[in-house]
Amino acid sequence: MRKSIPLYSLLAGVMLASSAAIARLPPPTPEAQAAAEAKKAQEKIQLEKEKALLERVQDRIAQRYGDAGGRDAGKTRDENMPKTTKELPRDVGPKPNQPQSGEAHSAPAK
């Protein structure tokens, strides 16, 4: 505990000195202010372009996949569903029309 006190004191001193140095910086020149304003304007223009591009892509995707993308939005066929989704609740065990999976007969892990 005693070893960390000088470290904290040193850290506090460095922070105090750096804040004093930042507080004494001169104000930016008119050229620097103009350059900063130009950079902000360019960033704003770029942001607007990216936003418009994003909206176009989102609209295209929404048109493709919204309203089922022009396909029939009916019920998904059961043969395309995973095994656990096709089974009814509390309907376990082997059935004559549905054979057991390959995992049921696999060898134990080594």
Side-chain angles (χ1 to χ4, degrees):
M1 181 70 183
R2 291 180 184 240
K3 291 181 181 179
S4 62
I5 292 175
L7 178 64
Y8 290 132
S9 300
L10 179 65
L11 184 63
V14 169
M15 289 173 56
L16 184 64
S18 65
S19 64
I22 292 173
R24 293 188 204 150
L25 290 176
T29 62
E31 294 85 18
Q33 288 178 344
E37 291 295 325
K39 185 176 180 182
K40 285 182 185 179
Q42 287 177 347
E43 288 176 355
K44 186 176 180 180
I45 291 170
Q46 180 67 23
L47 180 66
E48 292 297 323
K49 287 180 183 178
E50 290 176 1
K51 188 185 290 187
L53 181 63
L54 177 65
E55 288 174 357
R56 282 191 298 168
V57 170
Q58 286 175 338
D59 289 342
R60 189 177 70 222
I61 291 172
Q63 186 177 13
R64 181 183 300 165
Y65 293 106
D67 297 331
R71 293 183 300 271
D72 183 23
K75 183 179 175 185
T76 304
R77 297 186 316 203
D78 288 339
E79 63 264 10
N80 292 335
M81 300 294 285
K83 177 181 177 283
T84 55
T85 313
K86 290 189 291 186
E87 293 175 351
L88 296 174
R90 298 185 184 151
D91 187 26
V92 296
K95 298 172 203 61
N97 61 349
Q98 186 174 10
Q100 291 182 350
S101 67
E103 294 114 9
H105 303 289
S106 60
K110 293 183 181 180

